Structure formats: C-alpha cells, structure tokens
C-alpha cells in the first residue's frame, strides 16, 4: 500500500507540474505580439505584403505598365514583336483586373483585352477574360491578320470584316524591384474567333509596372 501511495503521489505531482507549465508558458518567455507571424511561411507572407504598401502603410491599388514581348501565331508558325500598355487594379488580396492594349507589328493588328486576375499563391496570378482583335488593314486571314499558311493570300472583302472576339488565358508573376516598381513576366493563350473557327496565338513577354 505504501509503494502504491508513493507512485500515486509522484504521478499527481508530475501532472500538476505539467498543467502549471502549460498555463504559465515557457520559462523566461515574455509577452508576445498576437499579430506576429507564427511560422516562417507566415513571416514570408507578411514580408511580401509589405511590398504592396507605400511608405504610409497604404496598400497599392493601381498599376501602369509597359509590355514587350512576342506573339506566336500558330497558323503561320511565326512570331511577331508585340508592344503593349496595361492598367491594373487590385480589388482584394486575391482578386483584381487588367485593361490591356497591345500592338502586333508587321500586320498592324491591335489587341484589347480585359482579363480578371486571381492570385493563386505568393505573386503568381491566373488571368482570364474577353477581348477583341482588330486589324485596320485586314489584308489577310487568320489571327492578327496573318495568312493561313500562305503569305499574300487574297480574300473577299466580306471575309475581312472585324473586329474579332477572343478569350485570353494566362499566368503572370510579379518580381518586385522596389515598393513602386515590379517586373511581370507573363505567358498567355489567345483564342481568336475568326470565320467560325478558334485560332490560337501565344503571347510571351514581360511588363514593367509602376504601382501607386
């Protein structure tokens, strides 16, 4: 009986010390900040968030960008220099939208899109939205005025009418250079509706964005 009482008393003492340790916290620990990141991942996210704020702590909501890239037209298997300008608006931590104007050289084609953006993780955005492709000269068939495999292919006037509706799907990743400036590499697929068919064009490039 004495040995049983000794073991019971020891177990009770250990349990009491454990309870007091949980309640009091680690020895020597001072007051904690309830807003401090609890994990390295949260600390990284907190650091990334500060990049999207100005010197006064206000979140940047707008961005203006210039774009330089290339457009690969599958119908011709050719790539054309593409210049563009973009406006972006951040609606929340996850959502935003863009208004994009691009000029595809050699065929004098303009592309206007308004994709909605969803932040997948970190600074990676998925973009999707409608747009229009306009070729003022409308000299050839195919997306962005390109001939369908034959340069100089003649068409009837009623076949040249536009603009043409398109859907754009893409990915973009923000690389911060400073609080105000960032590089935005992007890769997009344009599905252009022309003459009852969906023509594909791939757009690859990088934008320099000023946030304000």
């Amino acid at each position: 009986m004495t040995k049983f009482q000794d073991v019971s008393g020891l177990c009770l003492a250990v349990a009491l010390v454990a309870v007091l340790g949980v309640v009091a916290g680690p020895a020597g620990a001072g007051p904690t900040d309830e807003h401090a990141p609890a994990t390295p991942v949260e600390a990284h996210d907190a650091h990334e968030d500060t990049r999207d704020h100005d010197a006064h702590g206000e979140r940047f909501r707008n961005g203006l960008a210039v774009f330089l890239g290339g457009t690969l037209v599958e119908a011709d298997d050719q790539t054309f220099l593409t210049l563009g300008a973009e406006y972006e608006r951040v609606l929340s931590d996850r959502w935003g939208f863009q208004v994009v104007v691009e000029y595809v050289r050699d065929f004098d084609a303009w592309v206007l899109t308004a994709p909605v953006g969803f932040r997948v993780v970190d600074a990676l955005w998925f973009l999707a939205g409608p747009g229009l492709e306009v070729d003022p000269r409308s000299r050839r068939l195919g997306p962005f005025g390109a001939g369908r495999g034959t340069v100089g292919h003649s068409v009837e006037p009623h076949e040249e009418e536009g603009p043409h509706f398109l859907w754009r799907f893409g990915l973009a990743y923000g690389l911060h250079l400073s609080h105000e400036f960032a590089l935005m590499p992007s890769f997009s697929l344009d599905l252009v509706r022309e003459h009852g068919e969906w023509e594909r064009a791939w757009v690859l490039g990088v934008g320099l964005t000023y946030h304000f």
Side-chain angles (χ1 to χ4, degrees):
M1 180 67 69
T2 303
K3 183 180 295 186
F4 177 76
Q5 290 177 344
D6 291 342
V7 173
S8 300
L10 180 60
C11 292
L12 181 60
V14 171
L16 181 60
V17 171
V19 172
L20 291 177
V22 172
V23 173
T32 59
D33 182 2
E34 62 179 357
H35 299 292
T39 67
V41 174
E42 292 182 3
H44 173 75
D45 291 343
H47 175 65
E48 290 293 329
D49 288 343
T50 59
R51 293 181 177 183
D52 295 330
H53 294 71
D54 61 19
H56 303 289
E58 297 293 332
R59 177 178 290 276
F60 291 123
R61 293 292 181 182
N62 304 281
L64 292 176
V66 290
F67 176 84
L68 175 64
T71 298
L72 170 63
V73 179
E74 284 195 359
D76 271 13
D77 193 23
Q78 296 184 43
T79 301
F80 306 101
L81 177 66
T82 303
L83 308 174
E86 304 173 356
Y87 168 76
E88 65 180 45
R89 172 71 177 181
V90 177
L91 302 177
S92 68
D93 289 339
R94 289 290 184 183
W95 294 96
F97 70 89
Q98 291 181 328
V99 177
V100 181
V101 178
E102 294 172 351
Y103 173 65
V104 185
R105 292 193 59 186
D106 295 335
F107 292 98
D108 193 21
W110 292 88
V111 177
L112 173 64
T113 66
V116 174
F118 174 76
R119 188 165 71 98
V120 180
V121 62
D122 197 11
L124 178 64
W125 289 81
F126 172 74
L127 303 168
L132 294 174
E133 176 259 76
V134 181
D135 181 356
R137 293 182 294 181
S138 297
R139 296 182 304 174
R140 300 175 177 88
L141 290 174
F144 309 109
R148 293 180 177 174
T150 305
V151 177
H153 175 70
S154 61
V155 296
E156 296 299 328
H158 70 275
E159 294 181 314
E160 302 172 352
E161 295 179 357
H164 302 287
F165 179 80
L166 66 84
W167 284 104
R168 170 166 290 189
F169 305 93
L171 293 173
Y173 191 87
L175 301 172
H176 291 272
L177 302 178
S178 66
H179 281 290
E180 292 85 11
F181 290 93
L183 287 177
M184 185 74 75
S186 63
F187 178 70
S188 303
L189 167 64
D190 287 352
L191 298 176
V192 185
R193 187 67 174 178
E194 292 196 18
H195 314 290
E197 298 180 359
W198 290 101
E199 303 284 356
R200 291 188 297 268
W202 303 86
V203 185
L204 176 65
V206 62
L208 176 62
T209 305
Y210 170 72
H211 293 108
F212 58 97

